[in-house]
Amino acid sequence: MTFLKKHELWRERRKSNPLFTRRELYHEKRIGNPLYEILANSILEGTLTFHPKFRRKKYTSIIDVGCSVGEVLKHLERGSPNLQRSSGIDHSEIAKSNWQAQGQFYQHDLNTPPLKFTEDYDLIVCMEVAEHLEDHKHLIDLFDRIRNKDSVLAFCASIPGQPGNGHINCHWHGFWIKLLEDHGWRYQHRMTVAFHCEFEDARHKLDSKSCKKRRPSCYRNTIIFQSNTGLEH
């Protein structure tokens, strides 16, 4: 079944079943969506190309913060031949029951103090999460807890005025860049541009007209960072 047929099926289920809520649709519509494979591959290609260490070694550990069903993480795993461990964090029981990735799923509310991880991660992905949080402090604390000196962070958050549900913490890109740089990350312009070039090139090759119609906001807002301590000067 194609993604578009799945989308039509979910729409009908939502009409006929009052228990099939918007929240369920939010998570289930990600399964099999070709844009999430493009997102994962663009993150890998865009960041590895310019990383002084991982362009040779590749990522050995990946975490997706706010992972939903793990569709992006699944493709990040497939594109990482040296991967040793992977994880995803999301508060949703629906996401847990529809888990798509191989790695460990951690059910956790990101509005609360972060889980006490004892391991760090080479690649941290956080897409369209921060704008839903009452306070992003705990999210930034989590990034600090799980990074190493060479970590890469692929981050995306909604901007002010961007349509969506539950957007209570929207800021412009400059806000997040300053905040994360104050916490020891450095904005990586070349990685960010490479990501967007990879994504645009792959998106235009899709057969689905609905996927070609526009570039989703979450991809437009993606910015890439690297842990400041591991940078070559």
Side-chain angles (χ1 to χ4, degrees):
M1 183 183 297
T2 66
F3 172 72
L4 291 180
K5 288 183 178 179
K6 284 183 181 179
H7 191 72
E8 293 174 3
L9 175 62
W10 294 327
R11 186 180 300 170
E12 292 303 315
R13 286 178 60 187
R14 189 175 173 189
K15 289 180 181 177
S16 60
N17 183 358
L19 297 179
F20 193 66
T21 65
R22 176 175 292 186
R23 184 167 294 178
E24 289 174 304
L25 179 61
Y26 172 85
H27 291 288
E28 291 194 3
K29 72 180 182 180
R30 282 155 171 71
I31 301 174
N33 188 331
L35 287 174
Y36 290 92
E37 181 178 2
I38 291 176
L39 173 60
N41 292 339
S42 299
I43 290 173
L44 292 174
E45 291 297 323
T47 59
L48 290 171
T49 300
F50 295 106
H51 199 291
K53 175 180 177 181
F54 296 126
R55 65 182 172 218
R56 299 183 299 272
K57 180 184 175 184
K58 311 303 181 187
Y59 296 122
T60 61
S61 53
I62 300 173
I63 187 168
D64 188 349
V65 180
C67 57
S68 183
V69 296
E71 187 71 15
V72 173
L73 184 61
K74 175 180 73 176
H75 293 293
L76 289 171
E77 292 170 340
R78 291 176 178 177
S80 303
N82 297 335
L83 190 67
Q84 298 174 12
R85 54 188 169 82
S86 58
S87 305
I89 303 175
D90 201 281
H91 74 285
S92 172
E93 187 67 37
I94 300 168
K96 181 180 180 180
S97 63
N98 289 278
W99 186 236
Q100 301 294 301
Q102 295 294 317
Q104 177 70 42
F105 180 89
Y106 293 95
Q107 191 169 4
H108 177 72
D109 183 357
L110 293 167
N111 278 304
T112 62
L115 297 168
K116 295 182 179 180
F117 283 93
T118 57
E119 297 177 313
D120 53 51
Y121 292 85
D122 295 339
L123 175 62
I124 303 167
V125 176
C126 184
M127 310 299 287
E128 295 281 288
V129 175
E131 69 270 22
H132 298 285
L133 302 179
E134 297 172 2
D135 185 350
H136 49 258
K137 177 183 182 301
H138 296 309
L139 179 66
I140 304 302
D141 288 346
L142 175 63
F143 294 160
D144 291 342
R145 185 183 294 271
I146 60 178
R147 72 175 174 180
N148 57 49
K149 69 180 183 65
D150 298 303
S151 291
V152 170
L153 169 63
F155 179 84
C156 175
S158 297
I159 59 175
Q162 181 176 315
N165 297 306
H167 289 186
I168 59 175
N169 188 32
C170 296
H171 300 279
W172 297 105
H173 299 162
F175 172 88
W176 297 113
I177 291 173
K178 183 179 186 307
L179 177 65
L180 287 164
E181 288 194 336
D182 287 346
H183 280 260
W185 295 91
R186 185 177 298 180
Y187 168 64
Q188 293 296 296
H189 182 69
R190 289 192 302 172
M191 290 184 185
T192 301
V193 171
F195 162 83
H196 287 284
C197 290
E198 289 287 340
F199 180 82
E200 283 297 293
D201 182 59
R203 183 176 70 93
H204 284 292
K205 294 177 182 177
L206 283 178
D207 293 330
S208 171
K209 291 182 179 179
S210 67
C211 292
K212 287 183 177 180
K213 185 176 181 180
R214 66 182 181 88
R215 180 171 51 158
S217 300
C218 61
Y219 309 130
R220 288 203 304 268
N221 295 329
T222 299
I223 44 182
I224 311 294
F225 298 84
Q226 185 182 340
S227 186
N228 206 8
T229 55
L231 289 169
E232 294 182 345
H233 298 285

